[in-house]
Amino acid sequence: MIETRAHGKLFVAGEYAVVEAGYPAILIGVDRHITVRLAPAEDAGSITSDQYGRLPIVWRRNGHRVVLDHDSRPFDYVLAAIAVVERFATEQGRTLSFYDIEISSELDDDSGRKFGLGSSAAVTAATVRALDTFYELHLPTDKLLKLALLATLRVNPMGSGGDVAASLYGGWIRYAALDREWVRLRLETGTPLTHLLAADWPGLSVRRLPTPTTMDLVVGWTGQPASTTRLVEAMQSRKGAAESHYPDFLAESRDCVDALADAIAHDDAPAAKVELRRARGLLTSLANAAGVDVETPALKALCEGAETVGAAAKSSGAGGGDCGIVLVDRGSDLGPMIAAWTATGVRHLDLHVAEPTP
């Protein structure tokens, strides 16, 4: 039995800009996970997930293509990960086999509502890791990231990939997005994955940041679901309405993210809080210019509650619901903030930054 885990994620800064090639964001991997267990099988494989009922979905092969007996939509990212890793494994001379995959998640509440911690990215990352072990590929994390990004792009061509990187790396990271068009053209021309993984991908970079000791990251959940894909698509489709603002937003976002990364690297809590507030303002300004609702009333209440204890806060990810994040001086009394959150329906999540993955 092979068992792998991938972290849930949260964006700290750089949202929306990070979908453009080379533009950075800061993310964290959190200490809740998706776990994938993989065991060899004969004649057919199966996929089971506690998120989609306990009965397994059986899969077989049509040539090198995996075919499910039932509707595959809940498992699009798993199937994409299988397709990409097995294509690479075939190039390495591995013989394809059957296996059973069991998926369990800590990224939802007890009723099954998602917290917005990137379950699609985490299941992709965990599946890629499990198959790397199963086929004895022994790939380093940067190559696993490329495989997971290729799998993600098969399902969501607009994705930045930052969530996948946070799921694989854990801890704090500065991530800059790949040039998706560059990758797409090479796939269309039949570039072997062996060559593609060995190449430098324009725009793509991941840099680990140290975990601060003078500040904590606190998470609140609005209880309102948000669709990252829908919001990013809406922002991309409407950025023309904010055309005069968008280039300035990208430049200022890059400057803000790099200043925040520097503050984190130097464990400078006051500077980090300044940049987090700046990141919130940049998102609000872009959203207003494009006519997209990013900071909901609940997220605004979350941020205002954080300011009562001298902390800085903003929405995390695409906004429109889900989580907000807070940077607060370590040792601060969070009681007034939690009370303000409770009064407005915001739930404090017991989440922490995960240890970096080796």
Side-chain angles (χ1 to χ4, degrees), residues 5-55:
R5 298 197 308 173
H7 307 283
K9 61 76 193 168
L10 284 168
F11 273 87
V12 178
E15 297 93 338
Y16 290 105
V18 75
V19 301
E20 307 289 352
Y23 283 87
I26 293 176
L27 302 95
I28 58 166
V30 300
D31 60 351
R32 291 198 188 186
H33 307 86
I34 276 184
T35 301
V36 166
R37 297 176 181 86
L38 187 150
E42 299 288 341
D43 301 323
S46 66
I47 305 174
T48 308
S49 172
D50 61 5
Q51 293 180 297
Y52 302 110
R54 286 313 230 168
L55 291 178

Side-chain angles (χ1 to χ4, degrees), residues 69-105:
D69 283 357
H70 301 287
D71 183 2
S72 67
R73 281 174 294 180
F75 301 113
D76 284 348
Y77 286 93
V78 176
L79 294 175
I82 290 172
V84 169
V85 177
E86 290 198 341
R87 176 177 165 184
F88 179 80
T90 300
E91 291 180 11
Q92 304 307 304
R94 304 298 195 272
T95 300
L96 300 183
S97 304
F98 289 104
Y99 38 83
D100 297 324
I101 294 175
E102 180 184 344
I103 304 162
S104 57
S105 175

Side-chain angles (χ1 to χ4, degrees), residues 9 11 15-16 18-19 76-77 114 116 118-121 152-161 163-164 180 225-238 292-294 316-322:
K9 61 76 193 168
F11 273 87
E15 297 93 338
Y16 290 105
V18 75
V19 301
D76 284 348
Y77 286 93
K114 295 182 181 298
S119 58
S120 296
T152 299
L153 292 175
R154 289 169 70 105
V155 183
N156 177 19
M158 291 296 295
S160 71
D163 50 0
V164 178
R180 296 184 296 274
S227 170
T228 297
T229 301
R230 179 183 60 79
L231 285 163
V232 170
E233 288 177 349
M235 188 70 80
Q236 287 289 301
S237 68
R238 298 177 193 175
V292 176
D293 186 18
V294 169
S316 176
D322 284 335

Side-chain angles (χ1 to χ4, degrees), residues 85-308:
V85 177
E86 290 198 341
R87 176 177 165 184
F88 179 80
T90 300
E91 291 180 11
Q92 304 307 304
R94 304 298 195 272
T95 300
L96 300 183
S97 304
F98 289 104
Y99 38 83
D100 297 324
I101 294 175
E102 180 184 344
I103 304 162
S104 57
S105 175
E106 301 170 348
L107 306 187
D108 310 330
D109 74 354
D110 293 339
S111 66
R113 291 186 299 171
K114 295 182 181 298
F115 291 133
L117 301 177
S119 58
S120 296
V123 77
T124 304
T127 302
V128 166
R129 278 197 184 279
L131 291 171
D132 172 72
T133 301
F134 182 73
Y135 285 116
E136 298 181 345
L137 300 172
H138 307 299
L139 292 172
T141 303
D142 62 327
K143 300 295 191 299
L144 295 177
L145 173 62
K146 289 179 176 178
L147 287 177
L149 289 173
L150 290 172
T152 299
L153 292 175
R154 289 169 70 105
V155 183
N156 177 19
M158 291 296 295
S160 71
D163 50 0
V164 178
S167 290
L168 281 168
Y169 281 79
W172 290 78
I173 62 168
R174 179 196 183 274
Y175 171 86
L178 68 155
D179 183 334
R180 296 184 296 274
E181 183 65 12
W182 183 90
V183 172
R184 184 185 67 80
L185 288 174
R186 274 142 190 82
L187 291 174
E188 285 184 352
T189 56
T191 302
L193 294 191
T194 304
H195 296 163
L196 192 55
L197 263 63
D200 290 329
W201 288 15
L204 178 64
S205 70
V206 183
R207 175 162 62 94
R208 296 184 188 271
L209 299 173
T211 300
T213 62
T214 62
M215 56 187 130
D216 291 319
L217 188 137
V218 182
V219 183
W221 181 50
T222 66
Q224 301 166 339
S227 170
T228 297
T229 301
R230 179 183 60 79
L231 285 163
V232 170
E233 288 177 349
M235 188 70 80
Q236 287 289 301
S237 68
R238 298 177 193 175
K239 69 183 181 184
E243 196 60 49
S244 62
H245 182 84
Y246 196 64
D248 290 340
F249 165 75
L250 292 179
E252 290 181 34
S253 178
R254 183 200 295 274
D255 184 66
C256 175
V257 166
D258 284 340
L260 178 56
D262 187 64
I264 292 168
H266 290 89
D267 210 1
D268 186 342
K273 288 188 288 184
V274 166
E275 296 306 327
L276 196 72
R277 293 186 182 105
R278 181 181 171 194
R280 179 190 177 195
L282 288 171
L283 283 180
T284 300
S285 180
L286 177 69
N288 290 340
V292 176
D293 186 18
V294 169
E295 188 172 282
T296 63
L299 286 168
K300 183 178 180 180
L302 183 152
C303 295
E304 291 174 347
E307 293 289 344
T308 66

Side-chain angles (χ1 to χ4, degrees), residues 326-356:
V326 176
L327 282 180
V328 61
D329 295 337
R330 183 158 295 178
S332 297
D333 178 10
L334 301 183
M337 181 183 77
I338 302 301
W341 284 4
T342 301
T344 55
V346 174
R347 175 176 162 190
H348 174 216
L349 296 183
D350 184 21
L351 288 176
H352 304 91
V353 180
E355 291 294 322

